[in-house]
Amino acid sequence: MRYAMVLTGFVLVSVLGACGTSSCLKDVDRNTFAVTLERGACFGKCPVFVSTVYGDGRVEFDGKANVNRIGIHETKLDDDQRCELVKTVEESEVLTADFDKALELPDAPRTRLTVRRGSTSRTLEWYVGTPARLKPLVAMIERMAVKNDALHPR
């Protein structure tokens, strides 16, 4: 009896979890959704890379300098990870919120974040201090690159 209850609970959690994931992704066009994070050079050993996550879950990391992997490397997200990314993009309000224009600093690496969803696209740039509202999204993109063992500084 106890085994049946545990099994039933597991099945319910699996089914409900799957429903949540598919509903999260139902409005995401695999061909027109993308999030790109670019980190530029500085006078020191700043990691320089471009990392893009596409709507189909493909993650493309292009290491330029001061990272473990130079060149283009790919990995794939599962549906739960894709759903987490979509929710984080929505919560950051990157496509709609006002953000202060960052001052350009000579030795600070430029960070550029581009989010494309359908026909809407927005690019934000800053040099020092990621805007608070964008920190979870930027951290998520960086975690995806670290999982691919690409971002660790050399």
Side-chain angles (χ1 to χ4, degrees), residues 50-100:
V50 178
S51 186
T52 302
V53 183
Y54 297 95
D56 63 359
R58 190 169 37 98
V59 179
E60 182 179 279
F61 179 87
D62 187 1
K64 307 286 186 183
N66 303 318
V67 293
N68 260 3
R69 293 184 171 187
I70 301 295
I72 297 174
H73 304 276
E74 289 190 7
T75 189
K76 186 92 170 169
L77 301 181
D78 61 30
D79 284 350
D80 289 335
Q81 293 168 316
R82 288 175 50 224
C83 191
E84 181 184 0
L85 177 64
V86 169
K87 286 179 182 178
T88 304
V89 166
E90 289 170 357
E91 289 168 1
S92 74
E93 298 179 327
V94 67
L95 293 172
T96 57
D98 289 329
F99 292 91
D100 293 333

Side-chain angles (χ1 to χ4, degrees), residues 3 21 26 33 35 51-52 64 116 122 135 137 142 151 153:
Y3 176 76
T21 299
K26 72 178 180 182
F33 179 85
V35 179
S51 186
T52 302
K64 307 286 186 183
R116 188 182 73 212
R122 185 167 187 198
K135 284 182 180 181
L137 180 57
E142 289 176 340
L151 185 56

Side-chain angles (χ1 to χ4, degrees), residues 126-132 135:
W126 63 91
Y127 289 83
V128 176
T130 302
K135 284 182 180 181

